[in-house]
């Protein structure tokens, strides 16, 4: 375990202006305080970018033009806080000069990151090391926006390494995709190092709970984030058991060694709460197919949104020592109820212990034929994998325009998606194919598949596999609820795994969240 503190000179700036924001709030100028906090968050995020700010802006501008939601980009958008700052200054009276001073100081700091950041230097060193290594590295970036910028850098003429070599030796991911990327790594050299760059505390918690990780982990961040991480893990250290507990202890020891570089307050709570609303767990759709009709959408105080069929079961915690949990239909849930929220990492842990939920039906011969046809089409496209992916993505944009959808957005990680679709490996659950029908048509047109086969591949191959995945997801949800309510049969059936199951149930019992709102919505097609 190794910790890299990369504060890039912002510690003193952060301390000064957090104190000023606190002072302004006490004067009743909460809007001015919030604007300063937003500016500090912006500076903190760009100081921790793995590439220079000027290059990052190219990706940021591209994503804006492609219609990516402003909320996704807000933490990296200068105008998002500048407008708030100037609006607050207009009503701050004599304190307005403080806000103008803050703006000027922030601009001066930001200009220092135009070409390079401390973390960008470290990432280049890691890539250079990876190109020489025999084993592979998993690099986990903060969010899809940063990952998109890294992918653009690798595809650009400014990338100083052999992109094909780096593609073989470095696996790129985010905290939400690292497990899938590890699973998709395929045969080849072992993945022996995991580099986690500017993570949130929640992201690190999720990572340490994963049952199988590379032997060596390195975490990179600023003193505020790493100080917050140490505080969070110290408070919760006793809750982690087994391998996750050992990892947490190792992380705390490593953080303690660089204690002098860490911020002494919980920066994430003071400045930018890491847990944002809008985390969606949807058990009504699966990869581009959907079911018409009303569904229940449940929002929780922790920021989760659950979408369930109205007859789907939820698990409610109740004040009853004999029966502390009650299964009830989603349609009966109301604000104030405390319900179980099972996230993907917990489903994955239960699968790892008990095995996946079996899916009825055959895997799908059509999907296998589709994959074989794709492989043949890809062989006719010149270049290495990265060159092919870039060429295909450009063709997809042209195809969307030709079909009358010039503004169709292909998403933040579309180049990475194209690389995955090119692998053609999985035939069930999450097949290697686009999620939406329109994107699938653009993809098949770009690689020049026979058009008379496209609808057949989509309907009888991709869609069928995902319908089975929906059924498995519902069964998986029901199994997790049953496990919490009635764990003893699971212990008896898997006696050798009883200790692991007990630890997992303890973790599940802490994943209840208070319902803040319930609405009935129309499920997407």
């Amino acid at each position: 375990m190794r910790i890299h503190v990369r504060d890039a000179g912002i510690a003193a700036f952060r301390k000064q202006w957090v104190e000023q924001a606190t002072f302004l709030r006490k004067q009743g100028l909460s809007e001015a305080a919030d604007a300063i906090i937003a500016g500090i968050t912006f500076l903190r995020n760009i100081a921790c970018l793995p590439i220079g700010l000027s290059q990052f802006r190219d990706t940021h501008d591209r994503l804006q033009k492609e219609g990516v939601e402003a909320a996704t980009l807000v933490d990296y958008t200068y105008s998002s806080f500048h407008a708030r700052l100037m609006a607050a200054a207009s009503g701050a009276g004599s304190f307005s000069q403080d806000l103008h001073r803050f703006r000027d100081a922030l601009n001066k700091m930001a200009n220092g990151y135009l070409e390079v950041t401390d973390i960008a230097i470290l990432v280049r060193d890691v890539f250079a090391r990876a190109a020489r290594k025999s084993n592979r590295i998993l690099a986990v970036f903060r969010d899809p926006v940063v990952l998109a910028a890294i992918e653009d850098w690798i595809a650009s003429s400014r990338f100083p390494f052999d992109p094909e070599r780096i593609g073989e030796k470095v696996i790129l991911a985010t905290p939400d995709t690292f497990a899938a990327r590890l699973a998709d790594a395929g045969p080849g050299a072992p993945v022996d190092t995991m580099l986690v760059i500017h993570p949130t505390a929640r992201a690190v918690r999720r990572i340490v709970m994963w049952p199988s990780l590379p032997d060596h982990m390195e975490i990179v961040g600023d003193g505020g984030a790493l100080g917050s991480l140490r505080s969070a893990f110290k408070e919760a250290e006793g809750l982690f058991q087994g391998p996750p507990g050992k990892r947490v202890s190792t992380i705390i020891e490593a953080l303690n060694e660089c204690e002098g570089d860490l911020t002494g307050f919980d920066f994430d709570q003071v400045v930018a709460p890491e847990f944002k609303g809008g985390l969606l767990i949807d058990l009504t759709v699966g990869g581009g197919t959907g079911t018409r009709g009303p569904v229940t959408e449940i929002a929780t105080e922790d920021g989760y949104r659950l979408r369930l069929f109205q007859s789907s079961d939820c698990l409610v915690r109740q004040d009853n020592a004999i029966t502390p949990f009650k299964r009830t239909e989603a349609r009966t849930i109301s604000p104030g109820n405390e319900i179980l929220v099972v996230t993907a990492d917990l489903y994955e842990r239960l699968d790892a212990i008990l095995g996946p939920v079996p899916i009825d039906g055959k895997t799908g011969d059509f999907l296998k034929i589709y994959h074989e046809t794709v492989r043949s089409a890809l062989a006719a496209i010149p270049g290495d994998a990265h060159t092919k992916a870039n060429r295909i993505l450009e063709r997809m944009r042209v195809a969307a325009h030709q079909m009358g959808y010039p503004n169709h957005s292909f998403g933040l990680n579309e180049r990475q998606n194209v690389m995955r679709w090119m692998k053609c490996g999985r035939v069930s659950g999450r097949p290697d194919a686009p999620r939406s029908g329109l994107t699938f048509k653009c993809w098949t047109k770009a690689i020049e598949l026979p058009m008379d086969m496209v609808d057949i591949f989509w309907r009888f191959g991709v869609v069928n596999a995902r319908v089975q995945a929906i059924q498995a997801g519902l069964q998986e949800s029901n199994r997790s609820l049953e496990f919490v309510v009635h764990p003893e049969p699971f212990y008896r059936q898997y006696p050798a795994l009883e200790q692991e199951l007990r630890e997992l149930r303890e973790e599940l019992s802490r994943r209840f969240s208070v319902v803040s709102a319930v609405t009935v919505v129309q499920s997407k097609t």
Side-chain angles (χ1 to χ4, degrees):
M1 169 60 64
R2 187 176 180 185
I3 302 295
H4 302 270
V5 182
R6 291 294 187 268
D7 233 15
I10 67 172
F13 176 93
R14 186 177 58 219
K15 183 176 186 297
Q16 174 190 352
W17 289 104
V18 166
E19 289 176 354
Q20 184 64 23
T22 303
F23 171 76
L24 291 173
R25 200 178 301 280
K26 289 179 179 178
Q27 304 306 308
L29 298 172
S30 58
E31 290 184 3
D34 289 343
I36 288 178
I37 294 308
I40 296 173
T41 302
F42 167 79
L43 183 66
R44 174 194 179 208
N45 285 330
I46 65 170
C48 292
L49 286 173
I51 59 175
L53 177 58
S54 61
Q55 188 169 352
F56 178 82
R57 281 174 176 164
D58 292 341
T59 298
H60 182 278
D61 293 346
R62 173 178 67 79
L63 297 175
Q64 279 188 322
K65 291 176 182 177
E66 292 178 0
V68 173
E69 291 183 4
T72 304
L73 302 171
V74 66
D75 287 343
Y76 306 98
T77 306
Y78 178 82
S79 60
S80 68
F81 85 88
H82 184 263
R84 293 175 62 185
L85 191 69
M86 293 300 96
S90 66
S94 60
F95 294 108
S96 63
Q97 59 184 349
D98 292 335
L99 301 185
H100 286 281
R101 281 196 305 112
F102 171 73
R103 178 198 60 189
D104 294 342
L106 184 145
N107 286 341
K108 183 178 180 180
M109 291 283 292
N111 287 336
Y113 308 125
L114 284 173
E115 299 305 321
V116 71
T117 68
D118 284 357
I119 288 181
I121 294 172
L122 184 143
V123 168
R124 290 187 185 189
D125 290 344
V126 169
F127 277 24
R129 189 173 79 216
R132 299 190 300 266
K133 285 183 58 172
S134 56
N135 291 342
R136 290 182 286 180
I137 291 174
L138 173 65
V140 181
F141 297 94
R142 185 177 179 90
D143 54 41
V145 178
V146 177
L147 179 58
I150 284 289
E151 290 174 337
D152 284 351
W153 176 48
I154 292 173
S156 74
S157 59
R158 290 178 284 184
F159 189 62
F161 308 103
D162 177 358
E164 187 168 6
R165 177 67 175 172
I166 295 301
E168 294 171 353
K169 292 300 179 181
V170 181
I171 300 170
L172 307 177
T174 67
D176 291 329
T177 65
F178 81 92
R181 297 290 290 135
L182 276 176
D184 294 344
V191 181
D192 67 351
T193 300
M194 185 176 194
L195 180 69
V196 186
I197 301 166
H198 186 37
T200 64
R202 179 169 292 274
V204 179
R205 283 197 294 270
R206 182 182 181 195
I207 288 169
V208 300
M209 294 303 296
W210 190 248
S212 178
L213 292 175
D215 293 336
H216 181 65
M217 180 185 293
E218 299 184 26
I219 300 176
V220 189
D222 67 278
L226 295 176
S228 171
L229 177 63
R230 185 180 65 157
S231 299
F233 273 9
K234 274 189 171 182
E235 292 175 2
E237 186 175 8
L239 301 177
F240 294 91
Q241 304 294 326
K246 293 179 181 178
R247 293 183 192 125
V248 169
S249 297
T250 301
I251 290 173
I252 291 175
E253 290 175 8
L255 288 167
N256 286 339
E257 290 178 3
C258 49
E259 182 175 7
D261 297 322
L262 304 184
T263 300
F265 57 86
D266 189 339
F267 180 71
D268 288 311
Q269 291 298 322
V270 175
V271 176
E274 293 189 331
F275 192 83
K276 297 182 179 179
L279 294 183
L280 177 64
I281 300 173
D282 195 339
L283 291 175
T284 67
V285 297
T289 68
T291 302
R292 292 183 181 274
V295 301
T296 299
E297 183 169 295
I298 302 170
T300 76
E301 292 182 356
D302 288 328
Y304 285 105
R305 285 188 300 131
L306 288 78
R307 290 170 59 90
L308 302 144
F309 294 116
Q310 292 195 304
S311 58
S312 296
D313 278 352
C314 292
L315 194 63
V316 178
R317 195 201 301 271
Q318 53 186 10
D319 188 15
N320 187 315
I322 299 175
T323 55
F325 308 117
K326 176 185 177 182
R327 293 181 72 148
T328 184
E329 290 187 348
R331 73 174 85 238
T332 68
I333 297 297
S334 58
N337 288 153
E338 193 177 3
I339 65 170
L340 176 64
V341 177
V342 185
T343 50
D345 57 323
L346 294 176
Y347 282 129
E348 289 160 352
R349 285 181 61 196
L350 192 58
D351 276 359
I353 297 173
L354 303 183
V357 173
I359 303 174
D360 294 332
K362 294 185 294 185
T363 298
D365 293 335
F366 281 105
L367 197 58
K368 293 179 180 178
I369 296 171
Y370 160 74
H371 282 161
E372 292 170 0
T373 308
V374 169
R375 291 190 191 99
S376 298
L378 293 174
I381 301 175
D384 58 31
H386 284 278
T387 302
K388 289 183 180 183
N390 290 334
R391 186 168 298 174
I392 290 169
L393 186 53
E394 184 57 37
R395 290 181 184 178
M396 288 174 65
R397 292 193 174 104
V398 172
H401 195 280
Q402 291 174 343
M403 287 188 285
Y405 298 95
N407 298 320
H408 178 59
S409 174
F410 288 101
L412 286 178
N413 296 323
E414 212 64 72
R415 185 181 293 107
Q416 185 175 342
N417 287 337
V418 170
M419 296 284 287
R420 175 169 59 81
W421 303 334
M422 289 165 59
K423 290 181 179 179
C424 298
R426 294 174 297 193
V427 294
S428 63
R430 293 188 302 139
D432 291 320
R435 298 174 66 84
S436 80
L438 177 57
T439 303
F440 185 79
K441 288 181 179 179
C442 294
W443 153 255
T444 53
K445 189 175 180 64
I447 63 174
E448 300 181 349
L449 289 196
M451 296 310 294
D452 59 337
M453 293 295 293
V454 170
D455 281 344
I456 294 175
F457 286 147
W458 174 251
R459 292 177 182 276
F460 298 104
V462 177
V463 171
N464 273 356
R466 286 175 176 151
V467 167
Q468 292 178 355
I470 296 172
Q471 296 169 347
L474 292 173
Q475 293 176 36
E476 196 169 50
S477 176
N478 287 331
R479 180 174 70 172
S480 65
L481 301 188
E482 185 65 20
F483 172 58
V484 174
V485 177
H486 301 295
E488 295 302 330
F490 290 86
Y491 300 155
R492 289 195 295 269
Q493 186 174 354
Y494 302 96
L497 303 172
E498 181 175 347
Q499 184 58 37
E500 281 187 81
L501 287 169
R502 288 186 180 277
E503 292 172 1
L504 178 56
R505 185 175 183 271
E506 179 66 23
E507 174 66 16
L508 282 163
S509 69
R510 294 194 294 269
R511 293 296 186 95
F512 281 78
S513 186
V514 177
V515 174
S516 58
V518 181
T519 54
V520 177
V521 299
Q522 189 75 13
S523 65
K524 296 180 180 179
T525 304

